[in-house]
Amino acid sequence: AEYGQITNSKITDKEIPIRIYTPEKLHSTDHSPILVFFHGGGFVLGDLDTHDSICANLSSRGKYIVVAVEYRLAPEHPFPAAVEDCFKATDWIYHHAAEFRGDSNRLAVIGDSAGGNLSVVVCLLARAQGSPKISAQVLVYPAVAGVLSSTYMDKKNHISPDDMALLRKEDIRWFVLKYLTGTSDFSSDVRFSPLLEKDLSKLPPALIILAEYDYLEREGFAYAEALHKARVPTFTVTYYGMPHGFLSLQKILLEQFESVMNEIVELSLIHI
């Protein structure tokens, strides 16, 4: 695929690194839909490079401008630093979209794992503040339960090491411990545990991608059900036989990678 132009930049006055992917053959007068991308990595790992191929693919397939955000990581920058960076970045991208030929009226957030958590939280904050306007949320095996996570993980006790569970329960607990370093009162904070939010109405339409062999699958499904009850258009796709993080294994799992990309493009045709 032809990946077009890739530009490294920073959000002015916030010093948050971003990478802008502009699709090939975008006409000089065109303004493309925008996908704001938050990478996974348990709030501790990951950067613009770890998810570069995913972002480039999204841009080239859907003719979107993809803007990847390099938010601050724990434990050096614990909760809520990542939340603050992602919301500031999304707000800045929304208000400066025309500068990189983006259409602010067609802006969606997307993230995998921890990035899925941050995508949900950015949508909640945007709804509370009335801006920026977000057209859709794409959540790839998102971590949304927070303090309730153990309850949902226990429902997946049939997962065995032979099932390729690449993210173990102890890994999840380790990431959470690092993310919440020095944080005292997070137990009821929806910015960490968005599934605690009682009112999910008027949130953007959602595409939720889940993996069967993933300890986060049950909480992702619970969030999809909660959105549905709140009458938010929600599309859920479960990839059977797949582990957490499978989207990053595109060289091995090319068929599944292609399928997820197509799901995202299809959603965008409807909602973005």
Side-chain angles (χ1 to χ4, degrees):
E2 188 56 65
Y3 290 150
Q5 183 179 359
I6 299 175
T7 308
N8 289 319
S9 186
K10 281 192 177 181
I11 288 180
T12 49
D13 81 352
K14 304 299 181 191
E15 292 300 296
I16 303 170
I18 56 174
R19 183 171 291 169
I20 303 170
Y21 301 78
T22 305
E24 178 74 358
K25 297 176 182 175
L26 180 64
H27 193 274
S28 59
T29 58
D30 288 347
H31 285 78
S32 286
I34 304 166
L35 290 183
V36 182
F37 188 95
F38 308 125
H39 66 78
F43 308 103
V44 177
L45 306 172
D47 55 28
L48 295 178
D49 294 330
T50 55
H51 291 62
D52 181 71
S53 178
I54 294 172
C55 292
N57 266 282
L58 280 170
S59 179
S60 65
R61 288 163 190 266
K63 301 304 178 190
Y64 318 104
I65 290 174
V66 176
V67 185
V69 178
E70 188 167 294
Y71 53 87
R72 288 172 292 168
L73 298 175
E76 293 80 6
H77 303 283
F79 172 85
V83 170
E84 292 168 351
D85 286 359
C86 290
F87 183 75
K88 286 175 184 173
T90 306
D91 191 57
W92 186 92
I93 292 162
Y94 176 79
H95 286 102
H96 293 79
E99 295 174 18
F100 48 87
R101 291 155 66 196
D103 183 351
S104 61
N105 291 314
R106 293 185 293 162
L107 180 148
V109 291
I110 175 172
D112 64 312
S113 195
N117 172 289
L118 293 166
S119 297
V120 172
V121 174
V122 164
C123 289
L124 289 171
L125 294 174
R127 182 189 64 175
Q129 297 192 21
S131 179
K133 178 179 174 289
I134 299 175
S135 300
Q137 51 182 322
V138 179
L139 316 173
V140 183
Y141 30 79
V144 289
V147 294
L148 305 173
S149 196
S150 292
T151 306
Y152 291 100
M153 284 195 288
D154 289 344
K155 297 178 181 178
K156 298 290 286 188
N157 276 339
H158 65 283
I159 296 179
S160 75
D162 296 332
D163 291 328
M164 295 172 39
L166 300 184
L167 183 72
R168 303 169 301 169
K169 286 184 180 180
E170 52 265 43
D171 298 329
I172 296 169
R173 294 188 183 104
W174 184 85
F175 283 128
V176 168
L177 195 65
K178 297 293 182 186
Y179 187 44
L180 298 177
T181 298
T183 307
S184 56
D185 185 25
F186 59 84
S187 57
S188 60
D189 196 327
V190 296
R191 296 176 302 164
F192 170 57
S193 312
L195 201 49
L196 291 175
E197 174 59 52
K198 291 181 172 57
D199 178 15
L200 296 176
S201 64
K202 299 180 181 175
L203 285 175
L207 169 63
I208 303 178
I209 305 288
L210 303 173
E212 180 186 14
Y213 296 136
D214 179 8
Y215 285 110
L216 300 183
E217 186 262 345
R218 287 288 89 196
E219 62 190 70
F221 189 76
Y223 185 66
E225 285 190 316
L227 284 174
H228 184 70
K229 285 178 182 173
R231 302 193 173 184
V232 175
T234 305
F235 309 86
T236 309
V237 184
T238 301
Y239 282 79
Y240 292 97
M242 289 296 104
H244 185 86
F246 75 87
L247 198 61
S248 297
L249 304 174
Q250 65 192 79
K251 290 183 180 176
I252 305 169
L253 301 169
L254 183 61
E255 181 182 340
Q256 290 81 5
F257 179 85
E258 295 280 337
S259 178
V260 172
M261 293 290 129
N262 290 336
E263 293 283 357
I264 295 170
V265 170
E266 291 218 5
L267 174 88
S268 72
L269 292 174
I270 302 169
H271 291 292
I272 304 175

